[in-house]
Each structure stands twice: as structure tokens, then as C-alpha cells.
Amino acid sequence: QIQLVQSGGEMKKPGASVKVSCKASGYNFHSYGINWVRQAPGQGLEWMGWITVSTGDTYYAQNFQGRFTMTTDTSTSTAYMELTSLTSNDTAVYYCARDADFDSWGQGTLVTVSS
Amino acid sequence: QSVLTQPPSVSGAPGQNVTISCTGSSSNIGAGYDVHWYQQFPGTAPKLLMFGNTKRSSGVPERFSGSKSGTSASLAITGLQTEDEADYYCRAYDNSLSGSLFGGGTKVTVL
């Protein structure tokens, strides 16, 4: 079955960077894109960006352009997101989700930013 | 400003029917882009409920249905059950943002 398994929670200080991984299995990783979505505590879902795995093309939400990077490693079927210059406002659960329909989701990775 | 507007909450007794609206604009729903719906239980990842406006994802009960008209879409639950108590989000592509846009979410409470 299709699975997206994300890396574990992270605790970071303001100004630091965080990198979250999303390992895919159960389907041809190369054939589908990956979205990244975040959810602040008690808040709704916020789309961050999309990467087309086959070409490496990326599309970033305007709110994150400049400090957010998405990459993939097709040899391990893993997608990565990196967010830099963290502030307390970046404290959230970060999810990866497959393809244009967001039809499968990772379990989420809690990133806590605190001094 | 691009936004998808959902009511913060809806409620109903078991067996009743409820509807969640998702109101957009000419840059998203009104531009013809499909609307998708996600169900999220506390502490868990969202799950795809409906895609392509009206299609149920695999395993989703028939009591869930979707519709779209003009700049709005709706998710209906016919015969509400206690296990339907969750948060629901609509999503559509927005061409002014060049990306996906989520509604603010609606909490469904079963009385």
C-alpha cells in the first residue's frame, strides 16, 4: 500500500534551519509529485509548495519563497523540505502529501521553534 | 485576496443531514478548478475524502457527497454518524497564487 513516512519531531532555536524527510513506498515515486503542507497549533492547513519528482521542478507558495526549499532523492524515494530562518511562527506540524489530489499523506512532523 | 471561506463549525444530531460550504472566487473555484475535501481527526493527518468535486475516495461511505456550482462548492453528510465528528477542509487550485489554497476548515460536531 502507498505510504509516506516522515522523519521525527524537531526542536529548533529561532534563526536555525530544519530539514524534514518524507520516504515514499508502495508506488512509483518518480511518477508523482509531492506537496508540503503545514498546520500551526489549533490552526488550519497551509499549502507550502509542490515538487514534480520526474523533473525536479518546484512551485513555492508566495509566503515561503526565499527560505523554503524542496528536493528529492529518487534513489531512496525520499522527498525533503528545508525551512531556514525559523521563528516561533514556524512552530507547526509539517506534512508531505502525494500528487495533485493530495491522495496520501505522511504522518506529520512536529517542528517546535523556541529559545 | 484569494481565499476559500468555510463556516467554522456545523453540528447536527445523529441521523440528521449537514452541509459544509466552501466559497471561493473567480481565481479558484469560479475558474473551473476542481474542489477536493479532506477529513482530519484530532492528532492525525488529513485524509482525502472527495476529489474532482463529486468523487468519493476509496472506502468513503456513500453518505458523503460533493457538489460545485459557480464560485462555491459543498460537502454534504446525509445521515450524520458519531464517527463523522472531525474537521473538514476544502481545497482548490488558485491561478492568482499559482498554487493550492485550503479553506479555513469546518469542525463538525455530532450532538
Side-chain angles (χ1 to χ4, degrees):
Chain A
Q1 74 281 21
I2 296 166
Q3 273 197 306
L4 298 175
V5 178
Q6 298 183 223
S7 49
E10 301 265 10
M11 183 85 75
K12 295 291 182 181
K13 293 195 182 302
S17 300
V18 68
K19 191 168 187 176
V20 176
S21 68
C22 168
K23 183 171 177 59
S25 61
Y27 72 97
N28 185 346
F29 181 68
H30 201 259
S31 298
Y32 295 82
I34 292 285
N35 292 276
W36 289 92
V37 177
R38 77 176 183 181
Q39 186 171 37
Q43 302 300 309
L45 302 172
E46 181 179 22
W47 179 75
M48 300 178 69
W50 149 283
I51 182 165
T52 306
V53 174
S54 59
T55 62
D57 290 341
T58 53
Y59 305 86
Y60 295 101
Q62 291 165 6
N63 286 350
F64 299 97
Q65 287 195 7
R67 67 184 189 102
F68 177 53
T69 305
M70 295 175 290
T71 57
T72 62
D73 180 346
T74 54
S75 69
T76 60
S77 300
T78 304
Y80 298 91
M81 60 137 276
E82 183 172 23
L83 190 62
T84 63
S85 302
L86 293 170
T87 72
S88 58
N89 291 332
D90 294 314
T91 293
V93 176
Y94 290 77
Y95 295 101
C96 56
R98 192 185 80 145
D99 209 39
D101 287 344
F102 298 58
D103 60 4
S104 291
W105 294 64
Q107 82 277 19
T109 297
L110 175 62
V111 175
T112 303
V113 183
S114 175
S115 55
Chain B
Q1 185 175 351
S2 296
V3 63
L4 297 179
T5 301
Q6 298 181 234
S9 64
V10 298
S11 61
Q16 286 190 327
N17 302 335
V18 297
T19 300
I20 301 169
S21 59
C22 175
T23 303
S25 64
S26 58
S27 62
N28 41 68
I29 300 175
Y33 297 111
D34 286 343
V35 177
H36 314 269
W37 292 90
Y38 302 85
Q39 178 188 56
Q40 185 180 35
F41 296 105
T44 69
K47 166 193 153 184
L48 178 65
L49 194 68
M50 308 286 298
F51 64 99
N53 306 310
T54 60
K55 303 177 184 66
R56 279 184 297 276
S57 186
S58 177
V60 173
E62 290 186 5
R63 64 179 180 274
F64 290 93
S65 63
S67 64
K68 174 187 159 184
S69 178
T71 58
S72 295
S74 293
L75 175 71
I77 310 174
T78 304
L80 194 61
Q81 298 194 7
T82 55
E83 60 262 36
D84 299 332
E85 189 162 286
D87 294 325
Y88 294 82
Y89 295 89
C90 60
R91 182 187 66 83
Y93 182 82
D94 188 284
N95 59 29
S96 67
L97 299 176
S98 297
S100 277
L101 185 61
F102 283 97
T106 299
K107 181 175 182 58
V108 170
T109 301
V110 182
L111 302 172

